[in-house]
Amino acid sequence: MKRIILSAAAILAFSFANAQDGGFKLGAHVGLPMGDIKDLFSANLGVDATYTWRIVDKLDAGLTAGYSSYLGKNNLDSADFVPIAATAQYAITEDWFLGTDLGYAIYVGAGTTDGGFTYQPKLGYQTKDVELFAAYKGISLTGITYSSVNVGVNYKL
């Protein structure tokens, strides 16, 4: 697991150093759990680092990695994940965008649960320096899906 995390970090660092038409973003999000887990967890908190390249006019694509925690209720341990994903963002207008993240979330919480497929469609508003977004995040494991409705902010560096 450490090799996967270090590999993702190395890819992001290498991409940042070598890209000519790219952008680096750091962000955070907070959300409300839904579906299978809404009675077990109280909130979803997370941070992300993203690097994207301009593919064509209005379309950026890249890689994202981060840390996401579902906070347990009633003395239940939190469920913690390290999502590593491909990301894409399309500018509908100069200010509004649609985006998505697709990848794998590594489980790093207590217990022996495996990771699973992660997806996160987004709708957001952007300025030159900041993005504000609303998203639906899902992490599909065998037998259960961790899902939440989130709001977040990304700072463009």
Side-chain angles (χ1 to χ4, degrees):
M1 176 169 48
K2 288 182 183 178
R3 283 186 265 167
I4 293 172
I5 294 169
L6 290 174
S7 296
I11 289 169
L12 284 173
F14 178 76
S15 299
F16 180 66
N18 290 309
Q20 301 200 357
D21 241 358
F24 189 66
K25 300 183 243 184
L26 293 176
H29 63 270
V30 60
L32 295 173
M34 301 186 64
D36 296 344
I37 64 163
K38 69 180 176 188
D39 295 329
L40 301 173
F41 297 93
S42 60
N44 172 238
L45 303 173
V47 294
D48 297 292
T50 303
Y51 194 85
T52 60
W53 296 269
R54 176 62 38 108
I55 303 302
V56 294
D57 187 37
K58 298 184 180 185
L59 178 64
D60 294 345
L63 300 171
T64 187
Y67 185 84
S68 188
S69 182
Y70 289 88
L71 306 178
K73 290 182 181 177
N74 303 321
N75 297 322
L76 180 67
D77 287 336
S78 65
D80 303 321
F81 296 90
V82 174
I84 300 170
T87 186
Q89 186 169 304
Y90 179 77
I92 301 167
T93 68
E94 187 174 315
D95 299 330
W96 293 93
F97 68 88
L98 289 174
T100 191
D101 300 341
L102 298 172
Y104 188 81
I106 302 163
Y107 181 76
V108 295
T112 59
T113 302
D114 290 329
F117 175 69
T118 184
Y119 51 94
Q120 182 172 233
K122 301 177 196 176
L123 171 65
Y125 178 82
Q126 63 185 345
T127 67
K128 180 182 168 236
D129 299 321
V130 176
E131 294 175 347
L132 303 173
F133 65 88
Y136 176 84
K137 181 192 305 191
I139 301 172
S140 295
L141 309 177
T142 304
I144 191 168
T145 297
Y146 288 80
S147 59
S148 57
V149 174
N150 296 328
V151 293
V153 60
N154 288 325
Y155 295 97
K156 300 175 185 179
L157 304 176

